[in-house]
mmCIF file of all heavy atoms in Angstrom:
data_model
loop_
_atom_site.group_PDB
_atom_site.id
_atom_site.type_symbol
_atom_site.label_atom_id
_atom_site.label_comp_id
_atom_site.label_asym_id
_atom_site.label_seq_id
_atom_site.Cartn_x
_atom_site.Cartn_y
_atom_site.Cartn_z
ATOM 1 N N GLU A 218 8.613 33.993 51.539
ATOM 2 C CA GLU A 218 9.112 33.371 50.322
ATOM 3 C C GLU A 218 8.967 31.858 50.457
ATOM 4 O O GLU A 218 9.181 31.294 51.535
ATOM 5 C CB GLU A 218 10.582 33.727 50.094
ATOM 6 C CG GLU A 218 10.805 35.180 49.701
ATOM 7 C CD GLU A 218 12.256 35.487 49.423
ATOM 8 O OE1 GLU A 218 13.132 34.766 49.967
ATOM 9 O OE2 GLU A 218 12.533 36.450 48.693
ATOM 10 N N ALA A 219 8.590 31.193 49.378
ATOM 11 C CA ALA A 219 8.429 29.742 49.410
ATOM 12 C C ALA A 219 9.787 29.072 49.614
ATOM 13 O O ALA A 219 10.773 29.466 48.985
ATOM 14 C CB ALA A 219 7.786 29.257 48.119
ATOM 15 N N PRO A 220 9.860 28.071 50.479
ATOM 16 C CA PRO A 220 11.146 27.416 50.738
ATOM 17 C C PRO A 220 11.531 26.489 49.597
ATOM 18 O O PRO A 220 10.680 25.937 48.900
ATOM 19 C CB PRO A 220 10.878 26.627 52.018
ATOM 20 C CG PRO A 220 9.413 26.301 51.934
ATOM 21 C CD PRO A 220 8.771 27.493 51.270
ATOM 22 N N GLU A 221 12.832 26.308 49.426
ATOM 23 C CA GLU A 221 13.327 25.388 48.402
ATOM 24 C C GLU A 221 13.389 23.960 48.929
ATOM 25 O O GLU A 221 13.342 23.007 48.154
ATOM 26 C CB GLU A 221 14.703 25.843 47.915
ATOM 27 C CG GLU A 221 14.680 27.199 47.216
ATOM 28 C CD GLU A 221 16.053 27.602 46.703
ATOM 29 O OE1 GLU A 221 17.010 26.818 46.902
ATOM 30 O OE2 GLU A 221 16.162 28.680 46.094
ATOM 31 N N THR A 222 13.508 23.817 50.231
ATOM 32 C CA THR A 222 13.566 22.492 50.851
ATOM 33 C C THR A 222 12.587 22.453 52.013
ATOM 34 O O THR A 222 12.004 23.470 52.397
ATOM 35 C CB THR A 222 14.982 22.195 51.363
ATOM 36 O OG1 THR A 222 15.350 23.184 52.332
ATOM 37 C CG2 THR A 222 15.989 22.216 50.212
ATOM 38 N N ALA A 223 12.401 21.286 52.583
ATOM 39 C CA ALA A 223 11.520 21.147 53.737
ATOM 40 C C ALA A 223 12.025 22.018 54.881
ATOM 41 O O ALA A 223 13.234 22.159 55.086
ATOM 42 C CB ALA A 223 11.462 19.691 54.172
ATOM 43 N N ALA A 224 11.087 22.625 55.605
ATOM 44 C CA ALA A 224 11.462 23.522 56.693
ATOM 45 C C ALA A 224 10.421 23.446 57.796
ATOM 46 O O ALA A 224 9.267 23.087 57.553
ATOM 47 C CB ALA A 224 11.595 24.962 56.182
ATOM 48 N N ALA A 225 10.827 23.797 59.010
ATOM 49 C CA ALA A 225 9.910 23.785 60.147
ATOM 50 C C ALA A 225 9.220 25.131 60.266
ATOM 51 O O ALA A 225 9.873 26.179 60.247
ATOM 52 C CB ALA A 225 10.679 23.478 61.432
ATOM 53 N N PHE A 226 7.886 25.117 60.382
ATOM 54 C CA PHE A 226 7.093 26.339 60.532
ATOM 55 C C PHE A 226 6.487 26.335 61.928
ATOM 56 O O PHE A 226 5.948 25.322 62.381
ATOM 57 C CB PHE A 226 5.986 26.400 59.484
ATOM 58 C CG PHE A 226 5.349 27.759 59.368
ATOM 59 C CD1 PHE A 226 5.726 28.627 58.365
ATOM 60 C CD2 PHE A 226 4.395 28.186 60.278
ATOM 61 C CE1 PHE A 226 5.163 29.888 58.253
ATOM 62 C CE2 PHE A 226 3.826 29.435 60.192
ATOM 63 C CZ PHE A 226 4.214 30.298 59.169
ATOM 64 N N THR A 227 6.547 27.492 62.607
ATOM 65 C CA THR A 227 6.035 27.588 63.976
ATOM 66 C C THR A 227 5.041 28.737 64.096
ATOM 67 O O THR A 227 5.337 29.865 63.699
ATOM 68 C CB THR A 227 7.183 27.810 64.987
ATOM 69 O OG1 THR A 227 8.093 26.713 64.912
ATOM 70 C CG2 THR A 227 6.635 27.910 66.401
ATOM 71 N N TRP A 228 3.854 28.428 64.627
ATOM 72 C CA TRP A 228 2.861 29.437 64.998
ATOM 73 C C TRP A 228 2.931 29.600 66.520
ATOM 74 O O TRP A 228 2.984 28.610 67.252
ATOM 75 C CB TRP A 228 1.459 28.990 64.623
ATOM 76 C CG TRP A 228 1.185 28.836 63.169
ATOM 77 C CD1 TRP A 228 0.712 29.786 62.307
ATOM 78 C CD2 TRP A 228 1.314 27.639 62.386
ATOM 79 N NE1 TRP A 228 0.548 29.255 61.039
ATOM 80 C CE2 TRP A 228 0.910 27.939 61.066
ATOM 81 C CE3 TRP A 228 1.738 26.340 62.686
ATOM 82 C CZ2 TRP A 228 0.910 26.997 60.046
ATOM 83 C CZ3 TRP A 228 1.751 25.394 61.673
ATOM 84 C CH2 TRP A 228 1.332 25.730 60.366
ATOM 85 N N THR A 229 2.871 30.855 67.010
ATOM 86 C CA THR A 229 3.024 31.114 68.435
ATOM 87 C C THR A 229 1.960 32.092 68.932
ATOM 88 O O THR A 229 1.703 33.107 68.280
ATOM 89 C CB THR A 229 4.419 31.713 68.742
ATOM 90 O OG1 THR A 229 5.420 30.826 68.245
ATOM 91 C CG2 THR A 229 4.606 31.907 70.234
ATOM 92 N N CYS A 230 1.358 31.789 70.074
ATOM 93 C CA CYS A 230 0.471 32.707 70.782
ATOM 94 C C CYS A 230 1.119 32.985 72.133
ATOM 95 O O CYS A 230 0.936 32.239 73.096
ATOM 96 C CB CYS A 230 -0.924 32.115 70.954
ATOM 97 S SG CYS A 230 -2.061 33.187 71.860
ATOM 98 N N ALA A 231 1.896 34.076 72.199
ATOM 99 C CA ALA A 231 2.696 34.359 73.401
ATOM 100 C C ALA A 231 1.859 34.616 74.652
ATOM 101 O O ALA A 231 2.230 34.136 75.736
ATOM 102 C CB ALA A 231 3.636 35.532 73.119
ATOM 103 N N PRO A 232 0.748 35.373 74.586
ATOM 104 C CA PRO A 232 -0.006 35.618 75.833
ATOM 105 C C PRO A 232 -0.497 34.350 76.516
ATOM 106 O O PRO A 232 -0.660 34.325 77.740
ATOM 107 C CB PRO A 232 -1.186 36.481 75.360
ATOM 108 C CG PRO A 232 -0.700 37.141 74.130
ATOM 109 C CD PRO A 232 0.187 36.134 73.464
ATOM 110 N N LEU A 233 -0.747 33.292 75.730
ATOM 111 C CA LEU A 233 -1.238 32.040 76.305
ATOM 112 C C LEU A 233 -0.156 30.973 76.417
ATOM 113 O O LEU A 233 -0.423 29.860 76.876
ATOM 114 C CB LEU A 233 -2.406 31.509 75.465
ATOM 115 C CG LEU A 233 -3.625 32.419 75.380
ATOM 116 C CD1 LEU A 233 -4.659 31.845 74.431
ATOM 117 C CD2 LEU A 233 -4.234 32.642 76.760
ATOM 118 N N GLY A 234 1.044 31.300 75.943
ATOM 119 C CA GLY A 234 2.128 30.334 76.009
ATOM 120 C C GLY A 234 1.932 29.126 75.115
ATOM 121 O O GLY A 234 2.352 28.015 75.460
ATOM 122 N N LEU A 235 1.294 29.328 73.954
ATOM 123 C CA LEU A 235 1.019 28.229 73.041
ATOM 124 C C LEU A 235 1.917 28.309 71.806
ATOM 125 O O LEU A 235 2.218 29.406 71.314
ATOM 126 C CB LEU A 235 -0.443 28.253 72.585
ATOM 127 C CG LEU A 235 -1.525 28.181 73.659
ATOM 128 C CD1 LEU A 235 -2.887 28.197 73.008
ATOM 129 C CD2 LEU A 235 -1.344 26.939 74.504
ATOM 130 N N ALA A 236 2.323 27.163 71.300
ATOM 131 C CA ALA A 236 3.104 27.114 70.062
ATOM 132 C C ALA A 236 2.905 25.755 69.405
ATOM 133 O O ALA A 236 2.752 24.735 70.095
ATOM 134 C CB ALA A 236 4.581 27.356 70.333
ATOM 135 N N THR A 237 2.866 25.760 68.084
ATOM 136 C CA THR A 237 2.764 24.526 67.306
ATOM 137 C C THR A 237 3.759 24.599 66.160
ATOM 138 O O THR A 237 3.845 25.613 65.465
ATOM 139 C CB THR A 237 1.345 24.351 66.739
ATOM 140 O OG1 THR A 237 0.434 24.101 67.819
ATOM 141 C CG2 THR A 237 1.281 23.171 65.773
ATOM 142 N N THR A 238 4.515 23.533 65.971
ATOM 143 C CA THR A 238 5.493 23.466 64.875
ATOM 144 C C THR A 238 5.145 22.304 63.959
ATOM 145 O O THR A 238 4.828 21.205 64.421
ATOM 146 C CB THR A 238 6.916 23.264 65.435
ATOM 147 O OG1 THR A 238 7.261 24.393 66.250
ATOM 148 C CG2 THR A 238 7.931 23.167 64.285
ATOM 149 N N GLN A 239 5.174 22.575 62.645
ATOM 150 C CA GLN A 239 4.926 21.535 61.649
ATOM 151 C C GLN A 239 6.011 21.593 60.584
ATOM 152 O O GLN A 239 6.493 22.681 60.243
ATOM 153 C CB GLN A 239 3.564 21.723 60.988
ATOM 154 C CG GLN A 239 2.374 21.477 61.901
ATOM 155 C CD GLN A 239 1.075 21.443 61.137
ATOM 156 O OE1 GLN A 239 0.990 20.929 60.033
ATOM 157 N NE2 GLN A 239 0.029 22.013 61.726
ATOM 158 N N GLN A 240 6.365 20.429 60.063
ATOM 159 C CA GLN A 240 7.280 20.377 58.930
ATOM 160 C C GLN A 240 6.504 20.701 57.660
ATOM 161 O O GLN A 240 5.433 20.140 57.415
ATOM 162 C CB GLN A 240 7.925 18.998 58.799
ATOM 163 C CG GLN A 240 9.115 18.758 59.702
ATOM 164 C CD GLN A 240 10.294 19.662 59.388
ATOM 165 O OE1 GLN A 240 10.665 20.478 60.223
ATOM 166 N NE2 GLN A 240 10.870 19.533 58.222
ATOM 167 N N ALA A 241 7.038 21.601 56.867
ATOM 168 C CA ALA A 241 6.443 21.967 55.586
ATOM 169 C C ALA A 241 7.349 21.533 54.454
ATOM 170 O O ALA A 241 8.567 21.721 54.524
ATOM 171 C CB ALA A 241 6.206 23.474 55.520
#
Side-chain angles (χ1 to χ4, degrees):
E218 289 183 335
E221 296 182 0
T222 60
F226 194 99
T227 300
W228 295 270
T229 304
C230 179
L233 299 175
L235 302 181
T237 292
T238 298
Q239 292 190 38
Q240 278 295 116

